[in-house]
PDB file of all heavy atoms in Angstrom:
ATOM      1  N   ARG V 209     -15.140-160.767  -8.082  1.00  0.00           N
ATOM      2  CA  ARG V 209     -15.011-160.730  -6.586  1.00  0.00           C
ATOM      3  C   ARG V 209     -16.224-161.366  -5.898  1.00  0.00           C
ATOM      4  O   ARG V 209     -16.329-161.237  -4.693  1.00  0.00           O
ATOM      5  CB  ARG V 209     -14.899-159.214  -6.120  1.00  0.00           C
ATOM      6  CG  ARG V 209     -13.962-158.391  -6.931  1.00  0.00           C
ATOM      7  CD  ARG V 209     -12.518-158.964  -6.705  1.00  0.00           C
ATOM      8  NE  ARG V 209     -12.082-159.081  -5.358  1.00  0.00           N
ATOM      9  CZ  ARG V 209     -11.029-159.700  -4.901  1.00  0.00           C
ATOM     10  NH1 ARG V 209     -10.281-160.323  -5.794  1.00  0.00           N
ATOM     11  NH2 ARG V 209     -10.770-159.762  -3.598  1.00  0.00           N
ATOM     12  N   THR V 210     -17.103-162.019  -6.657  1.00  0.00           N
ATOM     13  CA  THR V 210     -18.362-162.448  -6.121  1.00  0.00           C
ATOM     14  C   THR V 210     -18.586-163.916  -6.176  1.00  0.00           C
ATOM     15  O   THR V 210     -18.257-164.605  -7.165  1.00  0.00           O
ATOM     16  CB  THR V 210     -19.538-161.765  -6.916  1.00  0.00           C
ATOM     17  OG1 THR V 210     -19.440-160.359  -6.791  1.00  0.00           O
ATOM     18  CG2 THR V 210     -20.904-162.196  -6.374  1.00  0.00           C
ATOM     19  N   ASP V 211     -19.044-164.521  -5.102  1.00  0.00           N
ATOM     20  CA  ASP V 211     -19.394-165.934  -5.079  1.00  0.00           C
ATOM     21  C   ASP V 211     -20.603-166.305  -5.918  1.00  0.00           C
ATOM     22  O   ASP V 211     -20.694-167.239  -6.637  1.00  0.00           O
ATOM     23  CB  ASP V 211     -19.682-166.426  -3.613  1.00  0.00           C
ATOM     24  CG  ASP V 211     -18.401-166.945  -2.909  1.00  0.00           C
ATOM     25  OD1 ASP V 211     -17.337-166.996  -3.582  1.00  0.00           O
ATOM     26  OD2 ASP V 211     -18.456-167.261  -1.727  1.00  0.00           O
ATOM     27  N   GLU V 212     -21.651-165.470  -5.722  1.00  0.00           N
ATOM     28  CA  GLU V 212     -22.875-165.717  -6.426  1.00  0.00           C
ATOM     29  C   GLU V 212     -23.359-164.484  -7.167  1.00  0.00           C
ATOM     30  O   GLU V 212     -23.740-163.472  -6.616  1.00  0.00           O
ATOM     31  CB  GLU V 212     -24.010-166.156  -5.509  1.00  0.00           C
ATOM     32  CG  GLU V 212     -25.341-166.502  -6.184  1.00  0.00           C
ATOM     33  CD  GLU V 212     -26.421-167.088  -5.281  1.00  0.00           C
ATOM     34  OE1 GLU V 212     -26.165-167.187  -4.080  1.00  0.00           O
ATOM     35  OE2 GLU V 212     -27.472-167.396  -5.778  1.00  0.00           O
ATOM     36  N   VAL V 213     -23.360-164.535  -8.509  1.00  0.00           N
ATOM     37  CA  VAL V 213     -23.807-163.431  -9.339  1.00  0.00           C
ATOM     38  C   VAL V 213     -25.346-163.582  -9.597  1.00  0.00           C
ATOM     39  O   VAL V 213     -25.780-164.618 -10.121  1.00  0.00           O
ATOM     40  CB  VAL V 213     -23.087-163.437 -10.673  1.00  0.00           C
ATOM     41  CG1 VAL V 213     -23.634-162.301 -11.598  1.00  0.00           C
ATOM     42  CG2 VAL V 213     -21.570-163.254 -10.500  1.00  0.00           C
ATOM     43  N   ILE V 214     -26.085-162.586  -9.143  1.00  0.00           N
ATOM     44  CA  ILE V 214     -27.547-162.656  -9.252  1.00  0.00           C
ATOM     45  C   ILE V 214     -27.942-161.496 -10.229  1.00  0.00           C
ATOM     46  O   ILE V 214     -27.785-160.324  -9.928  1.00  0.00           O
ATOM     47  CB  ILE V 214     -28.206-162.457  -7.904  1.00  0.00           C
ATOM     48  CG1 ILE V 214     -27.707-163.542  -6.936  1.00  0.00           C
ATOM     49  CG2 ILE V 214     -29.707-162.523  -8.000  1.00  0.00           C
ATOM     50  CD1 ILE V 214     -28.046-163.259  -5.462  1.00  0.00           C
ATOM     51  N   ILE V 215     -28.509-161.856 -11.345  1.00  0.00           N
ATOM     52  CA  ILE V 215     -28.995-160.884 -12.312  1.00  0.00           C
ATOM     53  C   ILE V 215     -30.432-160.608 -12.055  1.00  0.00           C
ATOM     54  O   ILE V 215     -31.277-161.534 -11.973  1.00  0.00           O
ATOM     55  CB  ILE V 215     -28.802-161.443 -13.783  1.00  0.00           C
ATOM     56  CG1 ILE V 215     -27.357-161.513 -14.116  1.00  0.00           C
ATOM     57  CG2 ILE V 215     -29.510-160.527 -14.751  1.00  0.00           C
ATOM     58  CD1 ILE V 215     -26.567-160.249 -14.254  1.00  0.00           C
ATOM     59  N   THR V 216     -30.791-159.326 -11.965  1.00  0.00           N
ATOM     60  CA  THR V 216     -32.201-158.897 -11.895  1.00  0.00           C
ATOM     61  C   THR V 216     -32.570-158.340 -13.275  1.00  0.00           C
ATOM     62  O   THR V 216     -31.850-157.540 -13.841  1.00  0.00           O
ATOM     63  CB  THR V 216     -32.414-157.845 -10.818  1.00  0.00           C
ATOM     64  OG1 THR V 216     -31.605-156.707 -11.114  1.00  0.00           O
ATOM     65  CG2 THR V 216     -31.975-158.359  -9.441  1.00  0.00           C
ATOM     66  N   LEU V 217     -33.766-158.773 -13.744  1.00  0.00           N
ATOM     67  CA  LEU V 217     -34.132-158.476 -15.113  1.00  0.00           C
ATOM     68  C   LEU V 217     -35.657-158.542 -15.259  1.00  0.00           C
ATOM     69  O   LEU V 217     -36.268-159.532 -14.868  1.00  0.00           O
ATOM     70  CB  LEU V 217     -33.464-159.507 -16.046  1.00  0.00           C
ATOM     71  CG  LEU V 217     -33.777-159.433 -17.521  1.00  0.00           C
ATOM     72  CD1 LEU V 217     -33.013-158.223 -18.165  1.00  0.00           C
ATOM     73  CD2 LEU V 217     -33.360-160.731 -18.227  1.00  0.00           C
ATOM     74  N   GLU V 218     -36.234-157.450 -15.831  1.00  0.00           N
ATOM     75  CA  GLU V 218     -37.655-157.581 -16.160  1.00  0.00           C
ATOM     76  C   GLU V 218     -37.854-158.494 -17.340  1.00  0.00           C
ATOM     77  O   GLU V 218     -37.029-158.489 -18.306  1.00  0.00           O
ATOM     78  CB  GLU V 218     -38.161-156.126 -16.509  1.00  0.00           C
ATOM     79  CG  GLU V 218     -38.088-155.175 -15.329  1.00  0.00           C
ATOM     80  CD  GLU V 218     -38.489-153.801 -15.818  1.00  0.00           C
ATOM     81  OE1 GLU V 218     -37.609-153.056 -16.254  1.00  0.00           O
ATOM     82  OE2 GLU V 218     -39.677-153.442 -15.740  1.00  0.00           O
ATOM     83  N   ALA V 219     -38.913-159.235 -17.324  1.00  0.00           N
ATOM     84  CA  ALA V 219     -39.199-160.196 -18.431  1.00  0.00           C
ATOM     85  C   ALA V 219     -39.302-159.483 -19.745  1.00  0.00           C
ATOM     86  O   ALA V 219     -38.967-160.038 -20.790  1.00  0.00           O
ATOM     87  CB  ALA V 219     -40.478-160.983 -18.090  1.00  0.00           C
ATOM     88  N   SER V 220     -39.772-158.214 -19.744  1.00  0.00           N
ATOM     89  CA  SER V 220     -39.914-157.491 -20.982  1.00  0.00           C
ATOM     90  C   SER V 220     -38.585-157.134 -21.664  1.00  0.00           C
ATOM     91  O   SER V 220     -38.530-156.768 -22.825  1.00  0.00           O
ATOM     92  CB  SER V 220     -40.678-156.181 -20.722  1.00  0.00           C
ATOM     93  OG  SER V 220     -39.954-155.317 -19.803  1.00  0.00           O
TER      94      SER V 220
END
Side-chain angles (χ1 to χ4, degrees):
R209 310 300 304 170
T210 300
D211 270 355
E212 182 174 1
V213 176
I214 303 167
I215 292 291
T216 61
L217 177 74
E218 295 174 272
S220 61

